[in-house]
Amino acid sequence: MTADAATDRLTLEEQASLTSGSTTWNTTPVRDVVLALTLSDGPHGIRRQKDVPGDPLGIQGSRPATCFPPAVTLGSSWDPALAVRVGAAIAREASALGIDVVLGPGVNIKRSPLCGRNFEYFSEDPHISGVMGAAIVEGIQSLGVGACVKHFAVNNQETDRMRVSADVDEQTLREIYLPAFEHIVREAKPYAVMCSYNRVNGVHASQHRRLLTEVLREEWGFDGLVMSDWGAVNDRVAALAAGLDLEMPPTGTDDQIVTAVREGRLDPTVVSTAAGRLLTLRDRVDRAARFEDWDVDAHHELAREAARSSAVLLKNDGGLLPLDPTARQHVVVIGEFARTLRFQGGGSSHVEPTRTDSPLDALREAVGPDTEVAFAPGFTLDGERDPALVSEAVALAARADVALVFLGLPEAAETEGLDRTHIGLPAAQLDLLREVAGTCARVAVVLANGGVVSVSEWEEHAQAVLEGWLPGQAGGAALADLLLGRHSPSGRLTETIPHRLEDVPSHLYFPGADGHVVHGEGRYVGYRHYDTLDRPVAYPFGHGLTYTTFAYSDLTAEQTGDNRWTVEVTLTNTGNRYAHEVAQLYVAHDEARPTRPRHELRGFAKIGLEPGASARARFELTGRDLAQWSTGRNRRRISPGAFTVEVGASSRDIRLRTVLTTPGDGRGHDLTAMSTLGEWLDHPVGGPAVRQALEQASVPIELAQTNPELLVLARGVPLLKLCGLVPELTPETVERLAAHLAEEGAQHARPS
Ligand code: GLC
């Protein structure tokens, strides 16, 4: 039965019941027309609540499932194919646990490192957020389980999240906060989208018609269901009318919908449409094969591979890493995080793992008989200073050839509902590191944290730093794989590590106050700020070392159509170990006075190469990659002119460049009667036209050019206003000029 036919069989009351859940995790069943759907977090593992009474918020225990690395980690793999496989594994477990829709991925932008849920998000950059988020959706839905991309939109902090208005200009919205959602909707076609708690420019996301209907559906073609975040609806009728189809969890207010229809305040088709979308979602997931179980060991190994592929080697002076597991050596492992694996964040994404392996156990199992591994916790997870623990660790370090120091943030520091107030590691841990470094000459630090931590104040005490992020339940084995060289690190930063919190572009505006958070930094989020202003950072976006080196050569760019190019570059492994390189492509605009971010990530390719081997990395560029949002025109626009294609190993390690030109999008020459004389004179088509008009109006333009002050003044005057100064130049002439250009431009309109 089609959704439309089923909807027609429903009474208004039944239709209204489908627009809200029946329990914390279920939609509403109706007779023999539709069964309840079961929803569950996500995003990096299934949190299938045990059916326990008295847990309205659904935050009690859940049934065991594989805890894969959260998005902060998986995003750092820069490997969409891996993300597809993780998504499919999550879907397999969802199916076995009776879940129809997984509430994830989360793709909000990391505007500030302080956001408590940054561990659940991919990046400061919308391109990689969109590509990795789409891959997760593709993986989840490859088994017919639904994915629900979240939180739409501009949910970039936890502080006051249910009330705060994210005040953001349209250009920033379109270039930073919406593109990841747009890419996922257009490319991966998620079955559902979850609106966020916050307001956007004063209007709650749950009743933001422009976002939920005009942008999401009418512009992007989304044909799935929009559900609320849990408790995000403030006005049932307004939400439904704006395009929110499902309130979760239920608030027992379906009668408000029926009454509003009966009183003529709500169009009944709005209700039937929302009910139909619920039925369509049911129909889509009903096509899924059902699984009873999954291979627990295989999924654990996949979690291990994902964590291994995502850790970022920040520094490795003197090639301290990898350690040789067969060498005769004393290794001291220091830090409670080596014994107690820190592998995920707090809140709704918290998964009950099927098992965990600690770095200490994994290291001990992996080293040979000639390597002695000692351990000292060094600190307690409550952050208190404990001199005895420090002394114990220092004593072992004094006898060691190398110290592996596991530092990081306690889970309480990074959770839903809370933002951090600083980005430092606990002082007790830094004290320990300094003491250890004072007695052991070779120190490698391994980090466990979901949000970026500052490293500048302590990294001098370590020859190597491996950022392990939150590695999921198999993190211990994954880190051992990298520390002992069974695999080379291949993660890259998807978020800049600043020297100081004060250097972060949003610092003056985050988290806002008095119900508003102004996005004063605009589009200049992350590397878009640091690289445009050439500000120093501790480690740049895209950075990551490995156990070999790579060369870039033979950059080519070929135009393949209207505003379409194919860019290729050769990568060569110039070292002596198999490893992966992540070649990154940025589109750059070198302007004396910046009018847009200096460069933006527009493509990446992760390629594994044996020593001495080479391969071509290939990227496709389109006009959209060059465009910026024109607030004045309320659309994306490609300006004619030159742009630079940069290819490199990070946003600050550009290896090769080439310059290309675009004729622009040809959608009207954008000159109007109110464009200034200067804009007309500088325009390739408008210039000759206005000179001719001025000459016919016997205005000796050369006169102005012999009088620089006069010309400077004249150039800044809108053409229509010049008519008052130059009688021979009539408004009719000016309007005719503008109309002619607009008409001519329309003739050459090109798809952008
Ligand atoms: C939470 C989160 C959301 C989650 C939902 C259900 O408040 O914001 O990400 O999916 O509620 O737990």
Side-chain angles (χ1 to χ4, degrees):
M1 180 189 312
T2 66
D4 289 345
T7 308
D8 294 342
R9 288 183 53 201
L10 300 174
T11 66
L12 172 61
E13 287 74 7
E14 289 171 332
Q15 291 178 8
S17 72
L18 295 185
T19 67
S20 70
S22 58
T23 69
T24 304
W25 302 112
N26 294 94
T27 63
T28 302
V30 174
R31 292 183 282 121
D32 61 339
V33 176
V34 63
L35 296 172
L37 288 157
T38 303
L39 320 175
S40 171
D41 295 309
H44 45 266
I46 299 301
R47 182 170 75 94
R48 177 67 160 118
Q49 292 279 279
K50 296 171 181 171
D51 300 324
V52 293
D55 180 17
L57 289 180
I59 53 177
Q60 299 310 319
S62 57
R63 292 160 61 181
T66 306
C67 181
F68 289 97
V72 61
T73 314
L74 190 59
S76 302
S77 74
W78 294 61
D79 188 343
L82 172 65
V84 171
R85 292 164 51 214
V86 170
I90 289 171
R92 175 73 186 240
E93 298 189 22
S95 178
L97 291 167
I99 303 300
D100 299 304
V101 178
V102 176
L103 302 175
V107 295
N108 294 100
I109 293 300
K110 304 188 190 194
R111 172 178 179 244
S112 165
L114 296 175
C115 175
R117 288 184 86 173
N118 272 359
F119 70 90
E120 277 191 71
Y121 305 145
F122 291 104
S123 177
E124 69 190 29
D125 174 83
H127 178 82
I128 187 167
S129 298
V131 171
M132 296 304 284
I136 289 282
V137 170
E138 181 189 333
I140 292 173
Q141 296 189 167
S142 66
L143 271 66
V145 174
C148 178
V149 64
K150 65 188 185 181
H151 308 87
F152 190 63
V154 207
N155 183 181
N156 307 94
Q157 65 186 58
E158 292 302 289
T159 305
D160 198 19
R161 63 174 175 164
M162 289 198 167
R163 301 178 309 181
V164 73
S165 173
D167 298 343
V168 54
D169 66 278
E170 186 70 14
Q171 186 178 52
T172 301
L173 196 59
R174 294 287 189 160
E175 294 194 11
I176 301 297
Y177 297 103
L178 295 186
F181 289 98
E182 180 179 4
H183 179 84
I184 294 167
V185 165
R186 290 183 188 275
E187 300 301 322
K189 302 186 184 334
Y191 290 178
V193 166
M194 180 190 292
C195 83
S196 59
Y197 284 120
N198 54 281
R199 291 179 287 152
V200 180
N201 295 325
V203 177
H204 272 285
S206 59
Q207 55 196 71
H208 203 297
R209 177 170 182 74
R210 197 162 78 74
L211 286 178
L212 300 184
T213 295
E214 295 169 26
V215 173
L216 182 62
R217 292 188 187 281
E218 294 169 2
E219 269 190 53
W220 299 348
F222 177 64
D223 70 350
L225 175 134
V226 177
M227 69 176 78
S228 73
D229 198 340
W230 267 233
V233 172
N234 298 276
D235 176 331
R236 286 291 312 278
V237 174
L240 208 57
L244 183 103
D245 305 308
L246 175 66
E247 175 194 49
M248 291 303 291
T251 54
T253 52
D254 295 347
D255 58 315
Q256 293 176 10
I257 304 297
V258 174
T259 304
V261 170
R262 293 258 155 61
E263 293 178 353
R265 290 182 286 111
L266 181 63
D267 182 335
T269 60
V270 168
V271 187
S272 61
T273 300
R277 288 168 182 156
L278 191 286
L279 294 170
T280 298
L281 177 57
R282 172 82 262 177
D283 181 52
R284 283 173 169 170
V285 299
D286 279 348
R287 298 190 196 130
R290 287 290 170 195
F291 297 97
E292 298 304 316
D293 55 18
W294 69 88
D295 184 332
V296 174
D297 294 337
H299 283 200
H300 186 75
E301 278 309 303
L302 178 58
R304 175 178 179 174
E305 177 188 350
R308 187 170 62 216
S309 304
S310 306
V312 180
L313 184 57
L314 296 178
K315 70 183 284 194
N316 191 24
D317 294 350
L320 187 149
L321 293 176
L323 304 182
D324 176 354
T326 65
R328 178 176 300 281
Q329 62 191 338
H330 288 271
V331 176
V332 61
V333 174
I334 294 170
E336 186 54 54
F337 291 123
R339 176 169 60 183
T340 308
L341 181 67
R342 168 89 213 282
F343 60 101
Q344 63 176 326
S348 62
S349 68
H350 197 91
V351 176
E352 189 63 37
T354 56
R355 69 172 185 262
T356 60
D357 47 38
S358 76
L360 178 61
D361 292 344
L363 285 165
R364 281 178 163 158
E365 283 165 26
V367 295
D370 296 333
T371 294
E372 180 200 325
V373 178
F375 171 71
F379 57 87
T380 55
L381 295 182
D382 61 12
E384 295 303 315
R385 280 184 168 80
D386 184 330
L389 288 179
V390 173
S391 302
E392 175 194 24
V394 169
L396 286 174
R399 299 205 318 270
D401 299 307
V402 60
L404 299 178
V405 186
F406 287 74
L407 307 177
L409 296 179
E411 182 163 320
E414 305 179 287
T415 178
E416 180 175 341
L418 176 74
D419 293 327
R420 284 188 289 165
T421 56
H422 66 85
I423 57 173
L425 284 172
Q429 294 184 27
L430 298 185
D431 292 347
L432 168 71
L433 174 62
R434 291 186 190 100
E435 297 271 351
V436 167
T439 60
C440 182
R442 298 169 67 217
V443 174
V445 165
V446 182
L447 292 173
N449 50 294
V452 147
V453 294
S454 54
V455 301
S456 303
E457 68 270 29
W458 54 262
E459 66 164 329
E460 65 188 285
H461 300 299
Q463 287 72 37
V465 179
L466 180 65
E467 173 58 87
W469 301 120
L470 298 180
Q473 68 178 51
L479 292 170
D481 289 340
L482 298 174
L483 293 168
L484 301 177
R486 282 191 292 230
H487 292 265
S488 299
S490 63
R492 299 291 186 273
L493 292 179
T494 60
E495 183 181 3
T496 306
I497 301 179
H499 281 303
R500 312 171 309 149
L501 180 60
E502 292 78 359
D503 297 337
V504 174
S506 60
H507 184 60
L508 291 177
Y509 310 100
F510 184 96
D514 196 20
H516 287 265
V517 54
V518 177
H519 286 239
E521 75 283 2
R523 299 179 286 176
Y524 298 93
V525 174
Y527 71 88
R528 285 174 169 81
H529 165 80
Y530 303 113
D531 294 357
T532 301
L533 299 179
D534 198 18
R535 291 280 163 76
V537 296
Y539 290 101
F541 176 84
H543 171 77
L545 303 178
T546 187
Y547 296 148
T548 187
T549 51
F550 287 95
Y552 287 61
S553 61
D554 193 13
L555 173 64
T556 62
E558 180 194 354
Q559 181 145 7
T560 53
D562 260 347
N563 281 321
R564 305 187 78 83
W565 295 267
T566 295
V567 178
E568 290 189 1
V569 67
T570 296
L571 305 177
T572 302
N573 181 339
T574 50
N576 56 17
R577 275 179 176 267
Y578 176 82
H580 290 80
E581 175 65 326
V582 178
Q584 300 154 43
L585 182 146
Y586 297 84
V587 168
H589 302 271
D590 299 309
E591 301 172 300
R593 185 180 63 79
T595 64
R596 60 193 298 177
R598 195 190 68 73
H599 64 176
E600 297 181 286
L601 180 74
R602 292 299 190 231
F604 59 89
K606 185 168 194 176
I607 297 177
L609 290 171
E610 293 291 347
S614 295
R616 290 287 275 177
R618 182 189 179 103
F619 311 88
E620 302 298 336
L621 275 183
T622 69
R624 171 69 184 259
D625 295 316
L626 317 178
Q628 58 178 332
W629 186 265
S630 166
T631 303
R633 299 170 183 85
N634 196 35
R635 63 174 172 84
R636 227 168 282 283
R637 178 168 182 258
I638 309 169
S639 303
F643 63 93
T644 301
V645 170
E646 301 176 332
V647 177
S650 84
S651 62
R652 292 282 175 97
D653 181 8
I654 302 302
R655 303 290 182 84
L656 298 170
R657 290 178 171 82
T658 186
V659 177
L660 299 175
T661 58
T662 171
D665 53 25
R667 287 178 53 189
H669 293 300
D670 292 326
L671 287 177
T672 67
M674 284 304 287
S675 300
T676 64
L677 175 62
E679 287 164 343
W680 277 88
L681 289 172
D682 295 345
H683 193 280
V685 179
V690 76
R691 281 186 173 80
Q692 184 183 20
L694 290 171
E695 278 154 15
Q696 283 166 358
S698 71
V699 175
I701 188 68
E702 284 62 30
L703 167 67
Q705 279 163 335
T706 56
N707 182 337
E709 290 78 14
L710 175 61
L711 186 57
V712 165
L713 283 174
R715 283 180 60 89
V717 178
L719 210 56
L720 196 57
K721 290 184 176 300
L722 270 180
C723 297
L725 306 173
V726 178
E728 298 83 352
L729 185 66
T730 65
E732 292 71 24
T733 305
V734 173
E735 293 296 352
R736 191 174 62 252
L737 262 179
H740 170 64
L741 269 164
E743 195 274 29
E744 188 187 70
Q747 284 169 359
H748 304 298
R750 296 181 183 81
S752 62

